[in-house]
Amino acid sequence: MAHGREREENAYASVGPSLSVRWVQGFPKQNVHFVNDSTICYPCGNFVIFINIETKKKTVLQCMNGVVGVVATNVPYEVVAFSDRRLKPLIYIYNFPGLTRRTKLKGSVLLDYTLLSFSYCGTYLASYSSLPEFELALWKWESSVILCKKSQPGVDVSCMTFNPMNWRQLCLSSPSALTVWTVEKSNQEHYLKAKSVKLPMEDGSFYNETDVIFPTSLPKDLIYGPVLPLSAIAGLVGEEAETFRPKDDLYPLLHPTMHCWTPTNDLYIGCEEGHLLMVNAETLKVTILNKIEDTTSREGCHLINPVTMAYQKGGVLISGIDGFVYSFIIKDLHYKIEDFLQVEEPVEHMIFSPSYQMLLIQTEKGSIYIYTFGEEPTFNRVLEACDGKFQAIDFISPGNEYCMTLTHSGEVCVWCLEDGTCASRICLNTPATVLASSPSSFSAAVGTQEGSIHFLDVRDPETPRAVYKVFPSEWSVQHLLYDQRGIYLLVGTSEGCIFIINANPSSLFQILGFVEVGKDILQISTVSLLETDIVEVMVLSPLPETGRSRLEIFTLPTTLPQVSTSFADERGRLRDELIAKFLYEIEHTLSSAVLDYQSHQVYGFCNQVPYICSYRLPEKEHSGICILKPYQKVQSKHYGPGMLSLSPHGLWLTTIAKGGILCIRDVHTLETFARSRSHSHQGHGIQSVRISMDGKNILVNGRNDGTLVYLRWRRFGGNLASEILEYCQKLLISLSNTMDEENDYLSILKRESLNLGSTSEHTINEDTKKLSIDSSQEELTQVDNSKEIPWLQQRSQEAIRKEVKLFSKKRKEIKTGIKALAKTVLTMMEENEAIDNIAKLGQKEFSLDLEELERLHNENEEEVAKIRKDAEMHNLAKAYLAELIKEECWNAMAVKGRALKCFHMPYVVENFPMKERTDEELKELKRVLQQKKIEAECLKLQKEIVEVQSAITLVKKHREEEDEEEEEDVAVKTNNLPNYLLGSLSTDFGVHASLLSGQLELHSREEKINQIILLKDVIYKVKTIFNNEFDAAYKQKEFEIARVKERNVRIQEIILDLDLEEVVWQPEFDDCEKPERTLVVENKEITAHRFVNPWQKNKTQFTVTSKMEQWLLTRGPDTRHRALMDMMGGVLEVKKEDILRMSLEAEMKKLQNSIQESTQNFDEHLKRLFERRVKAEMVVNQEELKINNLVFSLLLDEEISSREAFLNNYLIKKQAEKNQTSEAIQKAKEDLDTYREHYDNLLAEDKVLDRSFKKEFSEIPSHQVDILYKLFKRRPRIQKQKIHSDTASIVPFGERPESGKLNKDAFSQLMKAMDDLDNISNMPEGLDPLVWDHFCQTRRAKVENEQKVKQKAAVLMEMVAFLRRRTEEDEKLQQEIEKVFHERIVLQEEKVRFQLNLTIQILLKQGQVELENFQLLLEYPDAILINKSIIEDLNCVIRAQGQKKVASMMESKDVHKGIFQIEWEHKKMEMEMEDLNQKAWDIQMLFFSRDRQKYLNEPNYETLIAIQIGIMEQTIAVLDKTHKKNVENCKKLLKKLGRYSNQKDIANYTLSCNLREELVAVSERKDICNAIGSQLTCEKIAKEQYENMMHQQKLTNISKQQAEQISILQAEVERLRMKTFPTLVQM
């Protein structure tokens, strides 16, 4: 039975028939839950399905707003909660079994809830949402309020559970993390606190994490400054710095897949790597449990990828994808694995029933099994899932008892319409696509992806069987449709062919032919009326290239089986003219279209607009394509493209779409008269709908939610019912005879017929086999006899066989001509091999296939073009790369890099390649230079101001200082620092370093940056100076080479005149000296030979021959020259020739010596330039080293700034948290004080009730009062409900903490027990009934007040604990803040030390100091850098002091001689001194008062005494007068105090009366305090003792200080007293 109603149905429920859900069929995709001990539930589509385990009865709860999201159940309250999946989803809570809505929870989540979980005790519900909030919320679901919530962005959670023993703890796990959340409560306030569990690494070991924020193990670097954390080096200053770790420090951790709680508040965690962990929920300590290997365990059964876990006493049950359930027996820190149960499928979820007597096992497929514990355990299947979602559905005719479903794997299930149970199932073991049930027989057809169609016998729904198979084509079957009378079965394929099959089993489902239509068939619609002898078929297909839709309508006569051979051609295609095929087009796209039963119009569902249109068909026949215009148009009120279908009698139009709403419309008005939201758009809506023949039953199948919904009518009657029932009766009557005959024939068919075709098909195969003997079968397809041949291919082969037989003679003639032509070509090829290569043709030239020849030629050209294009692209890439290199390394250089070589020595000098400085660099340099000049001027003005002020008194000194200032200015302009302090030799190149700051003055960041800019300028100037010298040397070498060439001309002439065989030395520039040559390719560098045509070769030879002939003609006869050479050796005058020869030799030697001298001079100059180059490179390296040191210091300064910024941000964050905790503490204290006041008032009221008892019953006798008081103190005993021994032994969690419901139940039981005590039978004898009633009311009020006091006390203890936790958090934050402050101070000290401890560069002379054993010191922590002149001056001072010491020693020698002479005088003086001291002491001991001193010192002593006496008399008079006034005031005050004393006596009497009552209250509170607060009292006493001890210690310290002060004062008094004694010194 289904519960729940859609919102849309309300509008139709009161005016006409409506649809209701009868049952829903679907299988769980989420975890199954227990509602109580005998009922389970799971979500499926728009419904929550409840299954009774014992009776297998299903109950359905429908969600009003679409697909059900997540589901959770609460067993104690028997409620189920689920969420919907709409924008801003809600959580609904329903009672079971009433299925009435208890409440509705509305939060701030935007998209979806991913997890729901009820607490085991209490009315608490936890929810977790995904993107974008990632919010954990705790609900008080009875009152529909959120108690607290916390967001953790970006964290996806896969599992969430409450601690069964403590609802204040939750565990949230994901594949990468595990978090334990604690709910802290203070009265009505709730707070969520998260603690992450540190998981081990993948190998099971634990990683020792270091503190990222305050690392303590960083090394100390005394040379390069402080070593900072990696986050500061990375420049991170925000929250990412708190968790930053480099890749090398990241190790893969274990991946949790499941968890469960234990009664000891521990967690068992199963990991993907196979480890089993135990986590303490309080301390979060992780322990890896060790496996005890069992050698006797059976082989081949291992735990693979554990997926689910369930806790039981002594261990856990774990299962995974291998289909086995294992029992892990855990003892201490070890576990042992035992086989528990084997399931047929991979297990996805396990859960125990509330009584722990049953174990529910849910498989990956969706089946549900129940394992029942006991003496004889049982293992039963509660729900058997189908293999995949429902692909197609249909009724078994006439559609009032059974229906069928089809899955993709080919599983066909038969369902009973009465209760939705599965009657039977059969699997075809092939991928299936569509299903259709025949209305004319109890048979059904199933289409497959491979193109075959299986026919099923469903006469007995409990035992269906496959009876026949046809194979029309190899194309996938997309559509299967019987016409209304079951005459034909239309099969639509993916390639646009519709096969017409005889639907009668008696014809063995003969294929009658096929019709070609457009590809991608969307829908096939038929009209087959009882009073006609034709079947009209309409096919809808898209035209995506034009944005239109095509309709093709053709007619099939009912006599087609008898005349099918005349209607179809040889290949089986039905002729268009015989089936009256017409084409129509619609100007917009349709997603569905059906033909009405009158064949006058077409109904279409628009694809891109939400409209349903009707189109009138033209009455006249037409040729070509006819364009249809909309005749009627109504809004569909559907979401997305939909589907249309007609009811069996053709008067209802059903519409379905992605929105999931089924609408039934009137076919004439297109108005909706019934609708049902059985699915939703989250599951992509409805896939198909079927209406039974009598219209009473409707099946709706979801597209992706895997839900099959069975709908029935409510208030179904009138014309609506009579029309379709009348049609159904007529149709059944007309089909009754045919149905009986065809059903009888179904019983004859055997299962073996699945592998058989028709007799004609076998005949065709045999004929084809015989025909294959013929040698001319090039056109025929060779068929493998072992493979089944489709009907379409068989017809094609039969047609080919007939064509071959018809044109056999013509084929033989063509074959003979081809053989003769082949012989001719072979002869031509043999002749071609015998001729020359020039005249020889290629093999391809003899190809007679011109098309093949052209194809090969085109392929060759394409290949050549491709290779040419690849070569061009490769060359282009190389050229582009060369251009980039040239631009970067040559064109961009203002000074090109080149070298100079010596003529005779192996020296090579290179210049410095330099780029032109950019405008930005020049601008920055100009700014720095200007700033330095301004600073120099400011320093000069400051000196002048100081000197002018001092010149007012010292004019001469002023002049001397001016002279010194001028000298200093000159020194500054040159350089006031030596090279060893400057750190480089740049001054040797004439570069002024006056604007450079001293290395000991670079403290600020700006100074360092300016120094880097100036150092770069120095490097640029040094390189420029050297390049100028290099250019001068380069020009000199050019001059020398030119001069050598001039002299070599004369030397070459002399060598020719002297007929010498000497080689003239001619220097040339190398490529390194002229690098621009490398950019030009010369002909001699090309190694490949140039291709020259034959005519060009002949022309070149002819030109060379003609030039040789011309040269011989111009030379003339040489007879005289040859005669002279033969007779006299070519010499006429020997003497003159010798003289000339000697002069020429001398001239040549002189020229050679001149060349040698000039080149050697150049080499010497280049050698000096080489040394200059080495020195310049040294200077450049020195300056670059200084730049690198400055850059490093700037980088370290940035790291320190980043660290400081992070500490500041972290401090601000912690201070904000501290403020929050302080506010929370203040608020908690205020709430605690307020609540404690309420508690005290309630406790006082309880005491008042107790004390006022005897007063209220003072009118009755005292003995009755005593009896009543004893009854007043008496309380009923409530017997706790005893758990059954069997249950107690199974349930691992035992008695769980009391929840709100249990507290209410206990209070109600107490009140019921009080009713028994209030019974009149318990009244004492002789007591008035009115008094007894009053007594009962008073006692009940006392009991209720005591219960309130207990509840208040528990809440008070909870608030105290909450305040203590907040205080601890505040103290922890305070410690962190102090730690941050300390870190900041240390960092600032390091920063100051780094800024003062500069790294400077010093030039040291080499070869002056030689160390033994190379014991070099690399660290100088105690060294001080000072100037050398200071040491030299100090040595001079030491030498002067030494000379003085020698002189003083001589003087002391002379003085020592006179000492003996003075000793006797010294002894004499000592004796006289002793005598004088004794006399002085005697005089000092004489008493001499101040009055005597005054009498001796004062000249007018009498007058002074008279004045003092007058003053004392006046003082006595004033004191007497003041004393009298004070006496009067004291008398008045005494009277006033007397009156005030009387008032105090009265007040003290009143307080004494109250004190006695307070003493009673105090004693009672002491008892309570001893009962519930002994620990607090001990802590208080300890605190008081500690305070007393501290107070005593403080008083002791004060007393010591006062004693010291008293001793000091006593000494001061003694000193002052001694000063008053006269001192008499002998004059």
Side-chain angles (χ1 to χ4, degrees), residues 423-587:
S424 61
R425 63 182 66 205
I426 180 174
C427 189
L428 301 177
N429 297 320
T430 182
T433 54
V434 287
L435 167 71
S437 178
S438 173
S440 60
S441 64
F442 289 121
S443 64
V446 178
T448 63
Q449 285 186 352
E450 64 182 12
S452 62
I453 301 170
H454 297 260
F455 291 92
L456 307 179
D457 178 11
V458 291
R459 289 177 300 132
D460 185 3
E462 295 183 357
T463 57
R465 60 191 181 95
V467 295
Y468 203 76
K469 184 179 80 170
V470 296
F471 194 13
S473 68
E474 293 181 346
W475 302 320
S476 174
V477 177
Q478 301 293 336
H479 300 272
L480 273 183
L481 181 67
Y482 284 96
D483 66 279
Q484 285 78 1
R485 290 182 288 177
I487 301 174
Y488 302 117
L489 174 63
L490 303 178
V491 181
T493 63
S494 58
E495 292 298 321
C497 288
I498 297 180
F499 292 90
I500 291 88
I501 300 177
N502 194 335
N504 296 326
S506 58
S507 65
L508 292 179
F509 305 105
Q510 179 188 2
I511 301 176
L512 304 177
F514 71 94
V515 179
E516 290 183 349
V517 295
K519 287 187 177 182
D520 300 326
I521 300 173
L522 295 178
Q523 190 173 0
I524 302 175
S525 175
T526 63
V527 175
S528 178
L529 302 180
L530 296 175
E531 58 274 7
T532 60
D533 55 355
I534 60 172
V535 176
E536 292 190 79
V537 182
M538 183 183 73
V539 181
L540 172 66
S541 58
L543 296 174
E545 61 277 0
T546 60
R548 294 186 175 188
S549 295
R550 171 174 290 181
L551 295 175
E552 301 183 41
I553 300 177
F554 56 90
T555 304
L556 301 176
T558 57
T559 59
L560 182 61
Q562 292 79 20
V563 295
S564 59
T565 55
S566 60
F567 268 64
D569 56 13
E570 292 83 357
R571 286 175 171 78
R573 181 178 179 274
L574 297 180
R575 295 180 175 86
D576 294 344
E577 60 274 9
L578 297 180
I579 59 176
K581 185 176 180 181
F582 298 98
L583 299 179
Y584 303 92
E585 283 189 5
I586 298 174
E587 295 179 343

Side-chain angles (χ1 to χ4, degrees), residues 156-174:
D156 285 320
V157 177
S158 59
C159 184
M160 175 177 64
T161 57
F162 272 95
N163 185 350
M165 305 302 293
N166 183 8
W167 69 268
R168 299 174 188 271
Q169 287 183 334
L170 294 95
C171 180
L172 277 72
S173 65
S174 66

Side-chain angles (χ1 to χ4, degrees), residues 1236-1248:
R1236 181 171 286 157
E1237 183 179 355
H1238 294 164
Y1239 173 74
D1240 293 341
N1241 293 337
L1242 187 62
L1243 190 62
E1245 292 177 1
D1246 186 68
K1247 298 301 180 183
V1248 168

Side-chain angles (χ1 to χ4, degrees), residues 821-835:
L821 185 60
K823 290 181 180 179
T824 305
V825 172
L826 289 174
T827 305
M828 294 173 63
M829 292 177 68
E830 292 174 357
E831 294 176 356
N832 181 62
E833 293 294 333
I835 61 178

Side-chain angles (χ1 to χ4, degrees), residues 610-769:
Y611 285 98
I612 298 174
C613 302
S614 63
Y615 307 89
R616 286 290 182 94
L617 296 177
E619 297 180 358
K620 297 181 180 180
E621 296 183 357
H622 65 277
S623 60
I625 299 175
C626 178
I627 305 299
L628 300 180
K629 300 291 184 180
Y631 171 72
Q632 186 181 5
K633 182 169 66 174
V634 296
Q635 285 192 350
S636 64
K637 297 182 181 180
H638 283 285
Y639 166 71
M643 291 291 293
L644 300 176
S645 61
L646 287 173
S647 62
H649 67 312
L651 297 180
W652 300 347
L653 181 67
T654 60
T655 59
I656 56 174
K658 288 185 177 181
I661 300 175
L662 167 66
C663 294
I664 301 180
R665 305 170 184 266
D666 184 80
V667 75
H668 302 294
T669 62
L670 298 182
E671 294 295 331
T672 303
F673 64 86
R675 64 189 300 168
S676 174
R677 186 172 186 175
S678 58
H679 300 79
S680 63
H681 67 278
Q682 292 95 343
H684 297 278
I686 300 173
Q687 182 177 9
S688 58
V689 61
R690 294 291 183 269
I691 302 178
S692 62
M693 195 175 293
D694 57 1
K696 295 180 180 180
N697 306 317
I698 300 176
L699 284 178
V700 185
N701 180 30
R703 185 173 297 276
N704 285 339
D705 57 7
T707 307
L708 175 64
V709 181
Y710 171 48
L711 303 176
R712 293 206 61 160
W713 290 96
R714 286 183 298 190
R715 291 180 295 276
F716 183 64
N719 293 332
L720 193 67
S722 60
E723 292 174 349
I724 192 169
L725 290 175
E726 182 181 356
Y727 173 81
C728 178
Q729 292 176 359
K730 291 182 180 179
L731 182 61
L732 290 176
I733 292 172
S734 64
L735 296 177
S736 59
N737 296 330
T738 305
M739 188 175 294
D740 294 337
E741 295 175 359
E742 298 301 330
N743 291 336
D744 293 338
Y745 195 83
L746 279 174
S747 61
I748 303 174
L749 293 176
K750 302 295 181 181
R751 186 178 297 272
E752 288 78 9
S753 61
L754 285 172
N755 299 323
L756 299 178
S758 60
T759 306
S760 59
E761 293 172 357
H762 286 282
T763 307
I764 293 172
N765 288 337
E766 293 176 0
D767 294 342
T768 306
K769 194 184 302 182

Side-chain angles (χ1 to χ4, degrees), residues 1170-1205:
F1170 178 78
E1171 296 174 355
R1172 187 77 167 169
R1173 174 67 167 79
V1174 172
K1175 193 170 185 180
E1177 190 169 359
M1178 185 188 303
V1179 172
V1180 171
N1181 293 334
Q1182 290 167 354
E1183 300 297 344
E1184 288 180 349
L1185 180 59
K1186 288 198 289 185
I1187 290 174
N1188 291 335
N1189 288 330
L1190 290 174
V1191 170
F1192 177 77
S1193 65
L1194 288 174
L1195 180 61
L1196 192 57
D1197 193 15
E1198 289 181 358
E1199 293 175 2
I1200 293 175
S1201 301
S1202 300
R1203 177 66 174 171
E1204 191 173 6

Side-chain angles (χ1 to χ4, degrees), residues 1471-1482:
M1471 296 173 68
E1472 290 177 353
M1473 184 179 67
E1474 289 178 358
D1475 294 339
L1476 292 174
N1477 287 336
Q1478 185 64 35
K1479 290 179 181 180
W1481 175 252
D1482 294 337

